[in-house]
Amino acid sequence: MNQYFENFAYELTKPSKHHDGPITIPEPVDPDLHHPEKITKMGKTVLWVVAGIMTLGFITFVAHSQRIAYRFRTIPVITAMINVTAAISYLAMATGLGGALTNERHDSRYSAKREVLVPRYIDWLITTPLLILDITLLAGMPLGEILIAIFADVTMIITGLIAGLHPDVRARWIFFAISVASMFYVFYTLVGSGRSYSYLRSQKVGSLYNQVSLALLVVWSLYAVTFVLGEGAGYVSADTEVLLFAVLDVIAKPLWGAVVVFAVPEEGHVLLPESLASPLGGGYTALSQGDERREDA
Ligand code: RET
């Protein structure tokens, strides 16, 4: 007798401990039913390790920022925030958050539910705009253009999350397409105008910008590829997906951040008005003590 019939017979004959109701006939089990695709111990371990790496990155960038003058702190502080956000997100995933949220597949090839780790999208929603801020400040891009790039980036993440969770296959790929289009708009801004601005600052800033923007293009594109392989089309297991995103996150946050923070030439620091660069400049309080304020009164 095979296992299925053994279980079936047991279900029919087992004494009920909890109630005296009628004995129910168990649902027949579909032999082709896939198990829900979830991360295992291996995926969890990767999540814990990356939580540790991001914490180390955070400590390094904070320590560095505290040793330098205020006017040089902008990019190190932004980079520290990027790393601590990722550390918290990885901690949330390592301790099991996200497992309950699954996208159900109705296409023929795949009929199981799959875990979608939502904390990573919340992380990206915060960290990718900060990464864009890092690199556009390095380029010396005008605020008007920075804001448009950040908006395109936010659109990329939100539509990516919708694509990951959507139960309808066609809708999933429509949102994926919007996400990819937004990513290309970000690339266009960074490579197009960003590069010219950076060379206007200096040759050295231009060549650093060239390298980091190119690295960003390659690494960010790989996020889209990983999405297709994992949540998108289900070619790889949830564990492999965790591993791929982990490698990309470590490259994109602490490693890429370290290059932007430590390789920046003297003239590549963010240009700030005196009031934002030094407490001696008076910070915002300068306004209340200055001439302009008196004229207002
Ligand atoms: C998604 C969904 C599918 C389409 C695209 C995506 C792009 C994601 C990117 C994420 C970058 C994250 C970084 C995090 C670390 O700091 C959302 C996977 C295009 C580019 C750099």
Side-chain angles (χ1 to χ4, degrees):
M1 202 161 39
N2 73 25
Q3 189 64 39
Y4 175 76
F5 287 107
E6 251 173 52
N7 289 346
F8 189 81
Y10 172 74
E11 285 292 331
L12 280 177
T13 54
K14 76 171 177 199
S16 171
K17 278 195 213 140
H18 304 295
H19 58 85
D20 301 322
I23 296 170
T24 51
I25 297 175
E27 296 266 308
V29 178
D30 173 6
D32 289 332
L33 190 70
H34 293 268
H35 292 296
E37 184 53 48
K38 288 173 82 72
I39 58 170
T40 67
K41 207 160 176 235
M42 182 272 203
K44 280 248 160 87
T45 311
V46 173
L47 293 172
W48 276 111
V49 169
V50 178
I53 295 175
M54 297 295 179
T55 308
L56 281 180
F58 168 61
I59 293 169
T60 309
F61 294 120
V62 168
H64 174 68
S65 72
Q66 297 309 298
R67 287 177 28 242
I68 53 182
Y70 278 107
R71 71 177 64 251
F72 301 129
R73 283 189 195 179
T74 313
I75 288 183
V77 164
I78 293 174
T79 312
M81 294 193 294
I82 291 169
N83 280 264
V84 76
T85 306
I88 292 169
S89 155
Y90 269 88
L91 183 64
M93 294 189 285
T95 51
L97 188 70
L101 293 153
T102 54
N103 70 356
E104 193 162 2
R105 317 206 152 260
H106 299 298
D107 43 335
S108 54
R109 215 169 51 73
Y110 221 98
S111 60
K113 287 193 166 215
R114 186 182 178 102
E115 197 165 21
V116 176
L117 293 172
V118 175
R120 66 164 92 261
Y121 290 89
I122 301 175
D123 163 348
W124 295 343
L125 195 57
I126 298 169
T127 56
T128 52
L130 291 174
L131 286 165
I132 290 187
L133 200 56
D134 256 356
I135 191 173
T136 50
L137 287 175
L138 174 70
M141 196 182 277
L143 187 59
E145 273 193 65
I146 297 179
L147 292 177
I148 298 173
I150 287 180
F151 183 77
D153 174 86
V154 167
T155 308
M156 170 186 85
I157 301 298
I158 299 282
T159 50
L161 175 61
I162 297 172
L165 292 176
H166 214 298
D168 183 273
V169 186
R170 204 169 330 150
R172 200 155 64 220
W173 293 115
I174 290 173
F175 281 99
F176 174 78
I178 300 174
S179 181
V180 172
S182 312
M183 181 174 73
F184 279 122
Y185 185 81
V186 172
F187 289 174
Y188 167 75
T189 315
L190 296 185
V191 176
S193 48
R195 200 145 36 145
S196 341
Y197 291 128
S198 67
Y199 276 106
L200 284 179
R201 293 194 71 192
S202 90
Q203 182 65 32
K204 271 196 201 155
V205 175
S207 77
L208 174 66
Y209 180 87
N210 218 357
Q211 287 166 20
V212 290
S213 60
L214 215 69
L216 185 146
L217 244 73
V218 173
V219 174
W220 287 35
S221 305
L222 292 176
Y223 277 90
V225 173
T226 304
F227 176 91
V228 172
L229 296 177
E231 277 151 29
Y235 289 115
V236 299
S237 70
D239 272 347
T240 309
E241 181 186 326
V242 164
L243 186 65
L244 293 174
F245 276 136
V247 171
L248 293 176
D249 278 343
V250 170
I251 296 173
K253 292 182 172 108
L255 294 184
W256 187 88
V259 174
V260 176
V261 168
F262 296 114
V264 63
E266 192 57 37
E267 69 276 21
H269 290 288
V270 179
L271 300 173
L272 293 171
E274 199 54 31
S275 61
L276 292 181
S278 139
L280 296 178
Y284 289 108
T285 57
L287 282 179
S288 61
Q289 293 158 359
D291 287 349
E292 310 91 87
R293 185 68 179 186
R294 272 210 298 279
E295 274 167 23
D296 283 349

